[in-house]
Amino acid sequence: PSGHTTGAYSWGIALAGMIPELAPQIMARTSEAGNNRIVLGVHYPLDIMGGRIGASAQNGQYWHNEFASSIVPASRQLRDYLVSRCAADGHGTTLVVCIANTKASGSGGYTNDFLDPVATAQSGADFVAPRGAADVLRLAYPELHADQRNAILKATALDSGYPLWQSSDGWQRINWAKALCARVTLDKHGDVAKVETADQVALAG
């Protein structure tokens, strides 16, 4: 696996989990770190996927074990810093207002369009979220329990059939960019009824 990709995704997933309002933009840049290793000729695509899987599993473990002691304080510190910078620059006094004013989640945000999905004959297999993955969504959906967050991961997961999907315990199929900033609708029983992702609907905050 690519160590550079592992490092990039370790930080990218952590940042996207702490600032889910900008998860698609953060994950777009993160994906380029892996892609650049291929462009430079120092890694094969499977090496990049391996790095992404390893970083996802690392985050799942860390968010599961260190959520209250490390993740929450770090997130609070980061978000408070961003709000103070936004206020100092005249972009608003909340992160949601700042993101809207700077268009960071829209036309002023960051995207890439070179990703090329490849369908295979093994598509359609059911997705089961790996242990710890739902914990990375705890700050994005603080009012939802683990089963509900697992339902979000399932609704936004990549299709089966891509390389390493069977041997990565589900980590390869997680789409962090979509899972971390979706609009979730619950039914009257508290089950996840609908998950709308940022590419399907304009989300604010």
Side-chain angles (χ1 to χ4, degrees), residues 94-140:
T94 68
L95 200 52
V96 171
V97 171
C98 183
I99 289 170
N101 286 342
T102 59
K103 298 180 175 59
S105 62
S107 61
Y110 187 83
T111 59
N112 61 32
D113 57 4
F114 56 77
L115 304 178
D116 182 21
V118 180
T120 73
Q122 297 178 319
S123 64
D126 196 30
F127 173 80
V128 177
R131 183 178 181 272
D135 291 306
V136 180
L137 275 59
R138 286 177 71 176
L139 292 176

Side-chain angles (χ1 to χ4, degrees), residues 4-193:
H4 286 81
T5 303
T6 303
Y9 269 97
S10 292
W11 287 107
I13 293 167
L15 283 173
M18 292 182 196
I19 314 171
E21 300 92 337
L22 294 176
Q25 291 75 23
I26 293 168
M27 295 312 299
R29 286 196 176 208
T30 302
S31 71
E32 289 180 354
N35 186 68
N36 290 345
R37 305 306 289 167
I38 301 170
V39 172
L40 287 169
V42 295
H43 277 289
Y44 293 104
L46 283 177
D47 302 339
I48 306 312
M49 295 177 82
R52 178 182 178 273
I53 290 165
S56 295
Q58 285 175 343
N59 267 275
Q61 183 73 13
Y62 192 74
W63 283 64
H64 181 76
N65 292 330
E66 308 294 335
F67 185 76
S69 61
S70 298
I71 299 296
V72 170
S75 174
R76 189 175 298 122
Q77 182 181 14
L78 174 62
R79 294 177 71 88
D80 288 348
Y81 170 76
L82 292 174
V83 168
S84 70
R85 286 298 304 268
C86 287
D89 292 342
H91 295 302
T93 57
T94 68
L95 200 52
V96 171
V97 171
C98 183
I99 289 170
N101 286 342
T102 59
K103 298 180 175 59
S105 62
S107 61
Y110 187 83
T111 59
N112 61 32
D113 57 4
F114 56 77
L115 304 178
D116 182 21
V118 180
T120 73
Q122 297 178 319
S123 64
D126 196 30
F127 173 80
V128 177
R131 183 178 181 272
D135 291 306
V136 180
L137 275 59
R138 286 177 71 176
L139 292 176
Y141 309 99
E143 69 282 2
L144 300 184
H145 56 67
D147 289 343
Q148 293 166 324
R149 296 191 306 271
N150 277 327
I152 296 168
L153 289 169
K154 181 175 183 175
T156 58
L158 302 172
D159 195 7
S160 58
Y162 293 96
L164 307 177
W165 77 274
Q166 289 178 304
S167 60
S168 67
D169 293 329
W171 292 107
Q172 186 273 343
R173 294 183 59 188
I174 295 175
N175 186 330
W176 296 111
K178 289 187 176 185
L180 281 163
C181 67
R183 176 181 292 157
V184 180
T185 304
L186 304 180
D187 64 19
K188 63 181 180 179
H189 304 293
D191 296 325
V192 174

